């Protein structure tokens, strides 16, 4: 089991990063709630991980803190929720927003997430209600997105929009939905992370 990685960020292409540790590059997929918190490429990053072994692949999912990872691990225990859908849920809303949706039985909010139908949303509300009681301390410690992730880059608007759309597709959104959401919120000076965050928020 690989539970934690600390090394140099070599690449950041939401929702995946490449982190170098003693010359070995680890590919890690993160929910956007954690991706926003990462430092810039070339800096040292610490990522808490969940390791998944399948017949056809070995996958690493990363989180900026143990609270997010704990919530992810409870999410994927829900019938019909695998790691990919768990990643999409925590990308579409942060931990506090998810807790609020469960507390208020907000099915409508959950079904807006890619891959979450009404039945899955209802299962999430029922099964996560009790599990969240045991996670309250961990979830409360989950940090909100930091400002450094929202600073504009010098990349062209077209490149930034392409990166944002690619990230939304990787999270499970359909091409038409991703393109429409990005074009709706795109503004000059936005970097891809800010654009992804705004697009996700606009779709909720």
């Amino acid at each position: 089991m690989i539970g934690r990685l600390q090394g140099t960020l070599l690449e950041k292409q939401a929702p995946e990063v490449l982190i170098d540790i003693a010359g070995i590059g680890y590919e890690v997929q993160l929910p956007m709630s954690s991706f926003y918190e990462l430092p810039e490429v070339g800096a040292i990053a610490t990522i808490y991980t969940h390791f998944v072994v399948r017949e056809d692949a070995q996958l690493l999912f990363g989180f900026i803190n143990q609270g997010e990872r704990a919530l992810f691990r409870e999410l994927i225990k829900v019938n019909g929720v695998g790691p990919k859908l768990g990643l999409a849920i925590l990308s579409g809303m942060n931990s506090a927003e998810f807790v609020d949706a469960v507390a208020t039985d907000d099915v409508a909010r959950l079904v807006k997430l890619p891959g979450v139908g009404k039945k899955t949303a209802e299962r999430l509300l029922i099964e996560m209600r009790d599990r969240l009681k045991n996670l309250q301390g961990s979830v409360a410690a989950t940090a909100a997105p930091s400002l450094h992730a929202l600073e504009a880059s010098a990349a062209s608007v077209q490149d930034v929009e392409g990166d944002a759309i690619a990230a939304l597709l990787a999270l499970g959104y359909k091409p038409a939905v991703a393109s429409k959401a990005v074009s709706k919120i795109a503004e000059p000076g936005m970097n891809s992370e800010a654009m992804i965050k705004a697009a996700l928020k606009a779709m909720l």
Side-chain angles (χ1 to χ4, degrees):
M1 177 67 72
I2 301 174
R4 179 177 174 271
L5 296 174
Q6 185 176 62
T8 304
L9 277 179
L10 297 180
E11 297 176 12
K12 288 173 63 180
Q13 179 61 58
E16 188 171 279
V17 301
L18 181 66
I19 184 169
D20 176 80
I21 301 173
I24 300 175
Y26 291 86
E27 293 179 343
V28 189
Q29 296 181 54
L30 295 88
M32 293 311 300
S33 52
S34 287
F35 194 91
Y36 298 139
E37 286 289 307
L38 292 172
E40 297 303 317
V41 170
I44 300 296
T46 299
I47 302 173
Y48 293 92
T49 58
H50 178 80
F51 187 41
V52 174
V53 178
R54 302 190 321 214
E55 290 183 4
D56 59 341
Q58 296 184 26
L59 305 171
L60 268 175
F61 296 92
F63 309 89
I64 203 67
N65 56 51
Q66 296 181 69
E68 283 242 323
R69 183 179 64 179
L71 179 54
F72 175 82
R73 285 175 169 172
E74 292 301 324
L75 277 171
I76 61 176
K77 291 178 184 177
V78 175
N79 186 30
V81 179
K84 185 176 181 179
L85 184 53
L87 204 70
I89 291 171
L90 291 179
S91 292
M93 55 177 61
N94 61 33
S95 301
E97 290 169 337
F98 179 78
V99 170
D100 181 66
V102 172
T104 57
D105 289 327
D106 196 344
V107 172
R109 194 175 183 185
L110 293 176
V111 296
K112 292 181 180 179
L113 299 169
V116 179
K118 187 176 180 181
K119 290 184 178 179
T120 300
E122 291 172 344
R123 279 200 299 271
L124 281 166
L125 294 178
I126 293 170
E127 296 187 34
M128 290 300 294
R129 193 172 292 116
D130 290 335
R131 292 175 184 176
L132 286 176
K133 293 177 182 178
N134 299 324
L135 291 176
Q136 284 181 348
S138 297
V139 172
T142 300
S146 62
L147 293 177
H148 74 74
L150 303 181
E151 295 175 352
S153 69
S156 71
V157 173
Q158 186 175 3
D159 289 342
V160 170
E161 288 186 10
D163 288 345
I165 291 171
L168 293 176
L169 293 178
L171 293 170
Y173 288 94
K174 294 180 180 179
V177 174
S179 297
K180 183 178 179 180
V182 170
S183 62
K184 183 178 179 181
I185 56 83
E187 294 181 4
M190 295 180 78
N191 67 5
S192 59
E193 293 171 26
M195 199 170 286
I196 295 164
K197 183 179 181 182
L200 288 168
K201 186 176 181 180
M203 287 188 285
L204 290 179

